[in-house]
Structure formats: structure tokens, C-alpha cells
């Protein structure tokens, strides 16, 4: 037996809850990382963190407009997701085309710390040259971030797009 669709008011409340959680999460995490990057002297990282944090602010602004009964808030909610997608894909592309040697050294130290002094031997047994292995992991990290971003931000865009009608109906009844 198929369940009936949600009432527009329930859809509105769910959209607002999702937008607030997602927007606050993005804003807070990216804001903290931007501050940490700035404190470490990584001004490019700080700028990217602020661009990502802006996506959270855009989403929260949209939620605020919808909460105030303005239908145009849904446009802000939808727009925040492709914006964030483009910023994060640009970030990934930047680091995939400009390999960060400091990050490679950090990964090397981390692997040696976790797996011990015989890690080079383990890599040799597996047929990997050490520098090639770290470059492969580096690429895998950024490609995974890009893939995850496409799936998540794409899903959130579809989520907001599919609920525009119900939110419009709920706001129309409230006016």
C-alpha cells in the first residue's frame, strides 16, 4: 500500500529543517577551516574556506526568506547547491593540477606513523614506488571529494527543486 504524499505544510517544515542543518553545517565547518587556514598563513585556503562558507550563508538566507513567507527563498536554497558544487570542484581541480608537496610529506609521515618503519618494504612488496603511491593517494582523495560533492550537492539541488511546488502551496495558504 502506497503512503499518501505529505501535506505542503509538512514539506515546508522539512525543507526548512534540512536547509538550516545543511546551511549551518557548511557555514560553521568552512568558517572554522577558513580561520585555521588564515592562522596558518594559507591565505588561498582561507579564501576558499570563505567561498564555501558563503554557500552556507546563501542557504540560510534562503531558509530565512521561506520562513518569512517569501517564495523567492526557494531560489536561494536551490542556487546554494550548484554554487557550492562549483566552488568545491574548483578546489579539487586546483589541487589536482598543483600538487601540494607539503601535503604529500604529511601523508608520508602519517602512513609511516600508522604502519611503522616497515611501510617502505610493504610498498615494495606490493609493487609500488613510494612517491608514486603517495601521488596516487593524493589524487584519490581529491577525486573522491569531487565525486562525493557531485552526488551530495546534486542530490540537494534535486531535493529542493522537487519540493518547490509544495513549499509554494504551503506559503500560498499562509498568505
Amino acid at each position: 500500500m502506497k503512503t499518501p504524499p505529505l501535506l505542503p505544510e509538512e514539506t515546508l517544515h522539512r525543507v526548512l529543517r534540512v536547509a538550516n542543518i545543511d546551511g549551518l553545517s557548511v557555514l560553521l565547518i568552512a568558517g572554522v577551516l577558513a580561520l585555521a587556514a588564515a592562522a596558518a598563513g594559507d591565505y588561498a585556503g582561507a579564501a576558499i574556506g570563505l567561498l564555501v562558507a558563503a554557500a552556507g550563508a546563501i542557504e540560510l538566507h534562503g531558509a530565512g526568506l521561506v520562513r518569512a513567507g517569501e517564495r523567492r527563498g526557494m531560489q536561494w536554497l536551490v542556487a546554494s547547491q550548484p554554487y557550492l558544487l562549483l566552488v568545491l570542484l574548483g578546489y579539487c581541480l586546483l589541487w589536482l593540477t598543483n600538487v601540494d608537496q607539503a601535503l604529500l610529506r604529511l601523508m608520508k609521515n602519517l602512513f609511516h606513523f600508522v604502519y611503522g618503519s616497515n611501510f617502505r618494504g610493504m610498498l615494495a612488496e606490493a609493487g609500488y614506488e613510494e612517491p608514486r603511491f603517495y601521488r596516487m593517494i593524493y589524487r584519490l582523495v581529491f577525486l573522491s571529494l569531487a565525486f562525493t560533492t557531485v552526488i551530495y550537492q546534486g542530490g540537494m539541488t534535486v531535493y529542493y527543486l522537487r519540493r518547490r511546488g509544495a513549499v509554494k502551496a504551503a506559503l500560498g495558504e499562509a498568505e
Side-chain angles (χ1 to χ4, degrees):
M1 182 172 196
K2 192 173 180 181
T3 59
L6 294 175
L7 293 173
E9 292 79 16
E10 180 59 31
T11 300
L12 171 65
H13 291 296
R14 288 184 181 193
V15 164
L16 288 173
R17 186 171 50 242
V18 167
N20 283 321
I21 291 170
D22 190 59
L24 268 175
S25 299
V26 170
L27 182 65
L28 291 175
I29 292 169
V32 168
L33 292 175
L35 285 173
D42 177 12
Y43 301 115
I48 290 170
L50 291 175
L51 289 172
V52 171
I58 291 168
E59 194 167 6
L60 290 173
H61 177 66
L65 289 173
V66 170
R67 192 176 303 103
E70 296 191 40
R71 293 181 188 134
R72 67 187 176 103
M74 285 303 292
Q75 294 170 331
W76 287 85
L77 293 177
V78 171
S80 68
Q81 300 307 313
Y83 168 78
L84 181 54
L85 172 69
L86 290 175
V87 169
L88 288 175
L89 288 179
Y91 174 76
C92 291
L93 183 63
L94 173 71
W95 290 117
L96 285 168
T97 57
N98 300 298
V99 176
D100 184 354
Q101 296 300 320
L103 185 55
L104 283 174
R105 282 190 300 278
L106 178 67
M107 285 174 29
K108 179 180 177 180
N109 292 337
L110 180 65
F111 274 95
H112 285 280
F113 176 76
V114 171
Y115 293 105
S117 59
N118 65 342
F119 187 66
R120 282 190 181 104
M122 291 168 51
L123 284 177
E125 272 183 45
Y128 284 105
E129 299 169 7
E130 196 172 11
R132 187 174 141 244
F133 173 78
Y134 295 119
R135 284 192 307 273
M136 181 183 70
I137 297 297
Y138 181 92
R139 275 191 234 101
L140 184 63
V141 166
F142 286 105
L143 289 172
S144 297
L145 175 60
F147 178 76
T148 304
T149 297
V150 167
I151 298 300
Y152 186 77
Q153 265 46 72
M156 288 297 291
T157 302
V158 169
Y159 174 81
Y160 287 137
L161 286 172
R162 291 184 69 191
R163 282 148 183 85
R164 285 183 305 177
V167 169
K168 181 180 176 182
L171 294 177
E173 292 172 7
E175 292 177 343

